[in-house]
Amino acid sequence: MPFQIVHGDITEMKVDAIVNAANSSLLGGGGVDGAIHSAAGIGLYKECLTLGGCETGDAKITLGYNLPCKHVIHTVGPIWQGGNHGEQASLTSCYLRSLQLASEHECESVAFPLISSGVYGYPADQAIQVASRAIIDYLKDHDLTVYLVIYDKHDYQIDRALHQDLLKYIDQNYTTEPLIPYAAPQAAPPVSPAEEEDDRDHWSSVFHIFQRTSSKDRSSELQAKLEQLDEGFADMLFRKIDEKGLTDAQCYKRANVDRKLFSKIRSNRDYKPSKPTAIAFIIALELPLDEAMDMLKKAGYALSHSNKFDVIIEYFISNGVYDVFTINEALFAFDQRLLGG
Ligand code: AR6
């Protein structure tokens, strides 16, 4: 998935590069900087000594040493001073410069912490917005997988009004009851050995007659049915892409789906996507709920009210919100799987 928000410790990310929220000396400090230096070991500190520091909004790159990543990109975020001192532009620049360095060093995957949102005091909700916007913008023209690693889940807040509205919708629509009332099976009455023997004889003769008389008819009937299959998921996807006048790239980028995965679907029309991937395409195509249900069915899925993920998706489609990243922010806040593939 090109852009993913994950919960965890950035020092454990197995990616090509992780980004460090450093200070201008680049010689270590507290927070994520301290965690990265202590996990990487003295080699990182020695290389940082050669870099000559770094300006706010800029970035420099080193090796990863004992970390599971190849590179560490060190960037210096702005200190929050109320928001009117160019903080947003500096923070955007941190993401952009880091991503440019990652591309120059042929990194295919990069993980960011929430730069400036700790010691430097940038309000976490605004820091997430700046980070997401900068990353999504960059991904419009670059093939890269980018993770935004949220260390403390409390830092993560979506828009308050959206959150309230979603809670209300979930409350009204989410049910843990099955949609069809469940009837417990009745215990079968005991069967005597003689009755069992009769039963076996009966079914075995029915089976032989069925096999002898109708196997030819049945196979041609089945053949005919197989030749008249309904349009499949991939065919509907490609038809809709054409109808909407989108290019393939526009579609998979809007869907937050990796180019390689999209090529797989292009070359194998029977490809069965995962449910979050199927929904990501539905969102990219901006399908109304009835068409969304139809397309999901073609991939073998449905939306149900006994699944929180489904209720959240239904909420966004019903409200005409077709931005995968906004939906993913909400899914993340409610601990659900994210869209894309
Ligand atoms: N993995 C991912 N994120 C983390 C981790 C971790 N292991 N540890 C903390 N965070 P901060 P800043 C999150 O203070 O605000 C340093 O001393 C944390 O929850 O590390 O840019 C530098 O040397 C927060 O959301 O960086 C500078 O002097 C985010 O990382 C100064 O702090 C950033 O918090 C930089 O301050």
Side-chain angles (χ1 to χ4, degrees):
M1 196 184 307
F3 175 44
Q4 204 172 353
I5 305 166
V6 296
H7 183 211
D9 181 342
I10 203 163
T11 62
E12 291 168 9
M13 294 292 292
K14 293 180 184 67
V15 284
D16 291 337
I18 64 168
V19 177
N20 181 17
N23 58 56
S24 55
S25 77
L26 297 188
L27 298 178
V32 70
D33 195 6
I36 289 175
H37 272 274
S38 70
I42 189 72
L44 179 64
Y45 177 74
K46 286 186 178 160
E47 189 177 350
C48 282
L49 279 173
T50 68
L51 298 176
C54 183
E55 299 283 323
T56 300
D58 202 359
K60 295 202 174 168
I61 192 163
T62 63
L63 296 176
Y65 299 92
N66 298 336
L67 288 160
C69 55
K70 280 188 231 149
H71 296 284
V72 179
I73 296 170
H74 307 261
T75 189
V76 183
I79 297 172
W80 180 256
Q81 295 174 69
N84 293 322
H85 294 79
E87 292 95 326
Q88 188 178 327
S90 290
L91 189 55
T92 303
S93 167
C94 287
Y95 286 95
L96 186 62
R97 285 292 303 127
S98 302
L99 288 165
Q100 284 168 343
L101 271 181
S103 295
E104 281 163 31
H105 287 77
E106 291 169 3
C107 298
E108 291 186 354
S109 53
V110 185
F112 282 93
L114 208 48
I115 301 163
S116 281
S117 71
V119 174
Y120 282 180
Y122 211 108
D125 55 338
Q126 294 183 47
I128 289 170
Q129 291 306 317
V130 175
S132 304
R133 227 169 294 136
I135 293 167
I136 292 165
D137 254 14
Y138 189 81
L139 291 180
K140 283 185 187 145
D141 305 315
H142 299 85
D143 278 327
L144 210 67
T145 297
V146 181
Y147 299 89
L148 184 61
V149 183
I150 307 294
Y151 189 59
D152 181 352
K153 201 84 201 281
H154 291 111
D155 279 349
Y156 200 82
Q157 292 153 11
I158 53 170
D159 177 80
R160 193 185 290 263
L162 171 64
H163 193 254
Q164 288 306 319
D165 212 28
L166 255 172
L167 276 178
K168 207 164 105 199
Y169 192 83
I170 290 170
D171 202 39
Q172 285 165 353
N173 293 284
Y174 178 55
T175 166
T176 49
E177 300 292 321
L179 295 179
I180 301 165
Y182 176 70
Q186 306 263 318
V191 181
S192 72
E195 279 174 326
E196 233 171 42
E197 185 68 20
D198 276 0
D199 245 19
R200 247 198 311 275
D201 288 352
H202 170 73
W203 285 115
S204 131
S205 61
V206 168
F207 180 67
H208 282 300
I209 293 166
F210 182 67
Q211 252 194 341
R212 228 177 322 113
T213 59
S214 58
S215 71
K216 210 169 154 201
D217 294 349
R218 273 185 294 118
S219 77
S220 53
E221 196 183 326
L222 184 60
Q223 187 67 34
K225 279 199 182 301
L226 289 175
E227 277 161 16
Q228 291 165 18
L229 284 182
D230 285 349
E231 180 187 47
F233 177 86
D235 287 329
M236 181 167 176
L237 171 66
F238 301 137
R239 174 169 64 81
K240 286 284 172 193
I241 289 176
D242 291 343
E243 281 173 17
K244 302 260 168 189
L246 293 172
T247 63
D248 283 1
Q250 281 169 330
C251 178
Y252 68 69
K253 288 200 174 190
R254 278 193 198 182
N256 197 31
V257 165
D258 185 61
R259 180 175 48 84
K260 289 180 202 138
L261 175 59
F262 189 84
S263 310
K264 256 193 214 164
I265 304 177
R266 265 281 178 217
S267 57
N268 174 9
R269 300 225 150 184
D270 292 329
Y271 186 85
K272 190 173 179 300
S274 70
K275 188 168 173 181
T277 302
I279 293 176
F281 282 120
I282 285 167
I283 298 296
L285 293 166
E286 304 192 352
L287 298 186
L289 199 56
D290 55 340
E291 285 188 49
M293 296 289 213
D294 186 31
M295 189 157 167
L296 256 188
K297 208 159 103 189
K298 289 176 187 296
Y301 306 113
L303 291 181
S304 112
H305 281 182
S306 52
N307 182 333
K308 215 177 259 184
F309 171 89
D310 291 1
V311 173
I312 294 173
I313 298 303
E314 189 187 276
Y315 166 87
F316 283 108
I317 295 180
S318 311
N319 283 287
V321 177
Y322 291 105
D323 179 43
V324 165
F325 303 105
T326 305
I327 300 174
N328 273 349
E329 286 182 12
L331 289 170
F332 184 80
F334 283 88
D335 287 322
Q336 303 297 311
R337 290 174 72 186
L338 305 191
L339 301 185

